[in-house]
Amino acid sequence: MYPFSEGSYAVRNAWYVVAFSHEVTRSLMERWILNEPVVLYRREDGVAVAIAGRCPHRHFPLAAGSLQGDTLVCGYHGIAFNSDGRCVRIPTEGRTHSSFDIRKYPLVERWKWLWAWTGDPELADEALIPDHEAINLGRAESPSFPVSYHLVNGRYQLMHDNLLDLSHLAFLHSTKIGVEEVATTRDTVSSGPNWVRSMRLVEDAPSPPAIRERFGDAKLSQLIDFTFYAPALHVGLNRFELDVVTENESPTKVRLIDSIVFHAVTPATKHLTHYFFAVTHNIQDPSDLDNSKVKALALAVIEEDLRATELIERMLQGLDEKIRDRLTAGDTAVDKGRRILQSMMSAEARILNLSIPK
Ligand code: FES
Ligand SMILES: [Fe+2]
């Protein structure tokens, strides 16, 4: 599906954020991942689990059932499953069948969110989750906090495209965090087999409205340094510095804002996406930061991104998928990100074809 080749939807052998930790409790929660319903809950010992969300008997949603201890009982005819997905009771039969067993998804709780593996469980290597220490998530000296979860009415790649082409800051977010110079400064793009980095340093630019409001009108330098860890996470550094020149001293840079943003993007269904947003602030004194204001600004910006995504999804309805979008010089990272995802999907499809006997 657009913008990928026919038959390609999403990378399956991968870890995706499926929930923030605080969302998963002793109440059953349904969340779709890669077009499959999943039910999430915590066992009595606090460990979070993810099992298939559709009852194999009559397809009743298992999240509409109930928990008896750690056992999930379907709310329709009472067939029960343990937290490994094994069927442990069929009331009408007095015995169980392994054909009623349901899928259990490998699930890892790291920092303040849960990563689920959607592919072959044999391949679920935790080392494939981006190294949280390395990406500055959860370090004591730089507090990180979940900001928001959104269910977006659009295919997941529209969110990746959004985050890989940040020239949109200048226009979509012009009343908040964008200035024209962000679009006219070319980004430097580098990449590896499963990551893409886009970095731009915008120097001597006017303050965007949100910065002006807080720190007054001044020329700033802005570093925007984003990395996409395919297929599920974007980590971005936003750094605003003010050049201060004082008499008899060499110019110094005063750091006004230094934050790292985390955008986890998870395909829910073909036209719906889960989006998790979190922030880390590198600050000396956490009381310097008014989190409620930062959060309000972040949410207002996200609202603009989600609206753009939803509007584009609407434009894609009925579009001949052979009509490609046109890319500009600002789309190097977009193009690279798409190619990485396409090659991951194509590699999975090849393995699948090989394992299906002809
Ligand atoms: S649908 Fe679940 S027990 Fe019948
Ligand atoms: Fe944006």
Side-chain angles (χ1 to χ4, degrees):
M1 67 190 281
Y2 168 88
F4 301 112
S5 64
E6 209 182 323
S8 291
Y9 162 50
V11 179
R12 300 205 80 82
N13 285 319
W15 294 99
Y16 290 96
V17 173
V18 64
F20 281 121
S21 292
H22 66 261
E23 294 182 282
V24 179
T25 64
R26 288 285 295 157
S27 298
L28 299 169
M29 180 173 88
E30 181 180 280
R31 195 150 272 177
W32 286 65
I33 325 176
L34 272 67
N35 242 358
E36 292 169 7
V38 174
V39 62
L40 294 148
Y41 64 95
R42 285 189 190 276
R43 296 188 323 217
E44 287 181 318
D45 63 4
V47 173
V49 294
I51 56 178
R54 186 189 284 123
C55 181
H57 179 227
R58 203 83 79 225
H59 305 312
F60 192 76
L62 288 174
S66 60
L67 278 180
Q68 284 179 8
D70 290 340
T71 299
L72 195 165
V73 182
C74 180
Y76 204 178
H77 313 95
I79 294 178
F81 308 87
N82 70 15
S83 59
D84 287 326
R86 198 128 26 85
C87 177
V88 292
R89 184 168 185 240
I90 301 175
T92 54
E93 297 207 8
R95 63 188 185 122
T96 63
H97 294 285
S98 59
S99 63
F100 278 72
D101 290 352
I102 56 174
R103 181 172 178 190
K104 180 191 185 187
Y105 293 80
L107 196 66
V108 173
E109 192 154 13
R110 194 154 293 174
W111 180 63
K112 294 179 182 176
W113 49 26
L114 289 152
W115 292 82
W117 178 267
T118 48
D120 179 352
E122 297 281 307
L123 304 176
D125 178 0
E126 289 185 27
L128 295 171
I129 297 173
D131 181 341
H132 281 35
E133 180 71 18
I135 59 175
N136 216 320
L137 195 49
R139 288 191 193 157
E141 68 277 16
S142 46
S144 313
F145 51 93
V147 178
S148 52
Y149 159 75
H150 308 263
L151 182 61
V152 190
N153 270 308
R155 63 197 69 193
Y156 71 91
Q157 186 56 29
L158 300 180
M159 295 301 293
H160 290 317
D161 290 348
N162 170 286
L163 291 158
L164 287 162
D165 175 8
L166 294 174
S167 68
H168 80 265
L169 264 63
F171 299 95
L172 191 65
H173 305 310
S174 63
T175 61
K176 299 177 182 66
I177 57 165
V179 290
E180 178 104 10
E181 285 76 357
V182 172
T184 54
T185 305
R186 282 283 292 277
D187 60 338
T188 304
V189 177
S190 51
S191 61
N194 60 355
W195 60 271
V196 189
R197 181 180 181 189
S198 156
M199 203 260 291
R200 52 160 67 76
L201 180 62
V202 187
E203 288 193 286
D204 208 24
S207 301
I211 301 284
R212 209 179 309 140
E213 211 172 84
R214 211 165 138 203
F215 298 105
D217 209 355
K219 291 276 184 185
L220 299 174
S221 66
Q222 183 178 358
L223 174 66
I224 309 172
D225 187 356
F226 270 58
T227 301
F228 172 39
Y229 297 91
L233 182 69
H234 297 255
V235 180
L237 172 69
N238 289 307
R239 178 174 291 162
F240 288 92
E241 289 179 320
L242 182 66
D243 283 317
V244 178
V245 185
T246 46
E247 231 179 295
N248 305 326
E249 279 179 43
S250 47
T252 51
K253 283 197 183 299
V254 176
R255 198 161 286 177
L256 299 182
I257 289 186
D258 194 22
S259 67
I260 301 174
V261 286
F262 301 87
H263 307 263
V265 175
T266 304
T269 64
K270 297 228 162 140
H271 303 281
L272 275 179
T273 301
H274 302 297
Y275 173 53
F276 303 85
F277 180 63
V279 177
T280 291
H281 287 287
N282 294 320
I283 47 172
Q284 304 303 320
D285 176 5
S287 63
D288 276 354
L289 193 74
D290 183 341
N291 277 340
S292 60
K293 272 196 181 160
V294 172
K295 187 171 174 178
L297 175 63
L299 289 175
V301 171
I302 286 171
E303 207 172 287
E304 291 173 334
D305 288 315
L306 301 193
R307 183 170 154 70
T309 299
E310 293 176 1
L311 288 172
I312 296 169
E313 182 62 47
R314 187 161 65 78
M315 288 295 111
L316 294 177
Q317 301 312 307
L319 178 77
D320 178 350
E321 300 229 339
K322 287 188 197 73
I323 299 174
R324 310 301 305 174
D325 50 357
R326 301 233 161 87
L327 302 185
T328 73
D331 285 313
T332 309
V334 168
D335 187 44
K336 193 76 214 172
R338 290 178 178 181
R339 283 173 195 274
I340 288 171
L341 291 177
Q342 182 66 65
S343 73
M344 287 170 137
M345 287 185 265
S346 301
E348 285 182 359
R350 274 197 300 277
I351 291 167
L352 209 62
N353 285 340
L354 281 178
S355 61
I356 297 170
K358 297 266 186 278

